[in-house]
Amino acid sequence: MDRGMLNRATSSDDSPTPGYMYGEIAKMTHSSIDVNRQIIEFLLKRLPSKNAHVKRKTLVLIKHLARSGRTEFKRDMCRNLGPIKDCLQFTGPPDPLRGDEAYQKVREAAKEAVEAVTCGDYPQQQQHFGEAYYNNGTSTMGGMGPPPSGGETYQQHIGGGAVLGNPTSFSSTGT
């Protein structure tokens, strides 16, 4: 693990982290599970910093690694979500020149990091009929029963037509 690169990526200056570092650090997470854990420990130690730039850069790095790092990174960060959530309320004395801007950026980065760590970006599986049309893919279980409120009905999906059990759809006289 290259601690120097991690220190530069989460430095206390207000310059942005160079883009190539995100890719290099993501590659480090893929090298081994031990390196992955060391990176997580390093990032979790950087989050309690009082410096807004360190916090923001660390959160942006967590977001990037959750999306492109080792799968275990996301799982392990999910188990340690507390320090990231603490950054959602990060505030401090306003800067005379920039005001609350640095703290707002930290809060936004924390929100994005939480979303990246907790979202279920797993390979898209083919949805079953009940999930796709009745629950709009929002349920873990699909079915053929009546749709919940707000869901698409089978009749809406097929574009109208006769619906079983609707006496007005069929004529009993044969006309």
Side-chain angles (χ1 to χ4, degrees), residues 22 56 90 108 141 149:
Y22 294 120
R56 182 181 49 81
F90 182 65
E108 289 171 7
M141 293 182 65
S149 62

Side-chain angles (χ1 to χ4, degrees), residues 46-164:
R46 296 293 275 179
L47 277 178
S49 173
K50 299 290 183 196
N51 187 303
H53 301 299
V54 172
K55 278 185 182 289
R56 182 181 49 81
K57 289 178 180 184
T58 303
L59 291 164
V60 170
L61 184 57
I62 288 170
K63 176 184 79 169
H64 180 77
L65 294 176
R67 292 182 177 162
S68 60
R70 188 180 189 99
T71 307
E72 289 84 358
F73 179 87
K74 190 173 182 176
R75 183 193 65 213
D76 292 343
M77 284 306 295
C78 240
R79 293 179 181 158
N80 295 294
L81 209 54
I84 300 173
K85 286 187 174 182
D86 291 343
C87 294
L88 290 169
Q89 286 89 29
F90 182 65
T91 189
D95 183 68
L97 183 60
R98 294 195 170 109
D100 192 41
E101 179 185 11
Y103 305 113
Q104 181 63 31
K105 286 182 178 181
V106 169
R107 292 189 296 268
E108 289 171 7
K111 181 180 175 191
E112 291 172 3
V114 168
E115 288 171 358
V117 168
T118 59
C119 77
D121 284 346
Y122 300 105
Q124 185 73 17
Q125 294 181 1
Q126 186 176 4
Q127 293 179 332
H128 298 284
F129 177 78
E131 291 177 352
Y133 299 118
Y134 286 131
N135 295 334
N136 294 327
T138 58
S139 175
T140 56
M141 293 182 65
M144 296 300 294
S149 62
E152 181 180 14
T153 65
Y154 180 72
Q155 182 179 9
Q156 291 169 334
H157 170 68
I158 61 171
V163 177
L164 296 176

